[in-house]
Amino acid sequence: MAGNITYTMLKPDAVSANHTGAIIKMIEEAGFRIVAMKMTKMSAETAGKFYEVHKERPFYKDLCAYMSSGHIVPMILEKANAVEDFRTLIGATNPANAAEGTIRKIFAKSIEANAIHGSDSDENALIEGNFFFASVDKF
Ligand code: ADP
Ligand code: MG
């Protein structure tokens, strides 16, 4: 059965453009409850650990530099069928392919600076949530 937790973070392009409030409003209006949240920054080394699964991809180094270039807003969100419903809300990785009305369609600047992260599985939601917040299962 699908879990009820997902992990997200607003990326540096969205935070620096002052879209934090507008994006959080869309998340809440879509029925997600924020159960953990902070404003923080990653070092390139920390970003490298977070995106370790992509370390063989050609964009990995640029991605780590970009993700450590400014503030991010990590959050844990609760909703039935959270992972899948949140991926639908944010839209495709490349904003050029994202559906109308999705967060990436509205706010992303490029395939790299695409405004927001969303976990791709229940397992990764827990791993990623625990990366930024201690003991996700207490939520
Ligand atoms: P998603 O965030 O939609 O799950 P991926 O897990 O495939 O996408 O990639 C992680 C992040 O790496 C993306 O959100 C985006 O910031 C960046 N990225 C993915 N593909 C590319 C690419 N072809 N060129 C540059 N950056 C990319
Ligand atoms: Mg992904």
Side-chain angles (χ1 to χ4, degrees):
M1 204 178 89
N4 64 345
I5 287 281
T6 193
Y7 169 79
T8 184
M9 61 186 155
L10 307 190
K11 296 186 177 184
D13 61 293
V15 177
S16 67
N18 269 356
H19 291 144
T20 300
I23 295 174
I24 288 175
K25 186 167 190 281
M26 283 183 73
I27 291 170
E28 290 188 323
E29 285 178 353
F32 293 87
R33 181 166 297 279
I34 300 167
V35 295
M37 174 166 74
K38 62 186 167 188
M39 173 75 71
T40 188
K41 247 176 149 174
M42 286 192 281
S43 65
E45 192 190 2
T46 301
K49 284 192 193 123
F50 184 85
Y51 283 111
E52 195 145 24
V53 335
H54 294 308
K55 67 171 182 288
E56 305 305 331
R57 310 275 288 273
F59 58 80
Y60 176 70
K61 202 165 167 249
D62 273 1
L63 176 63
C64 295
Y66 158 63
M67 285 301 298
S68 57
S69 69
H71 286 90
I72 57 166
V73 181
M75 287 179 260
I76 294 170
L77 305 175
E78 202 174 77
K79 182 185 181 296
N81 202 35
V83 166
E84 191 187 347
D85 287 0
F86 196 71
R87 295 288 299 200
T88 302
L89 179 66
I90 69 177
T93 307
N94 186 345
N97 302 328
E100 289 300 327
T102 59
I103 292 173
R104 282 170 166 169
K105 184 68 172 186
I106 297 167
F107 296 104
K109 293 192 163 66
S110 68
I111 189 170
E112 177 182 78
N114 60 359
I116 191 163
H117 171 87
S119 300
D120 62 6
S121 67
D122 292 341
E123 187 192 0
N124 283 335
L126 284 180
I127 292 169
E128 293 172 355
N130 273 313
F131 191 93
F132 285 94
F133 303 96
S135 300
V136 163
D137 53 7
K138 82 179 173 214
F139 302 102

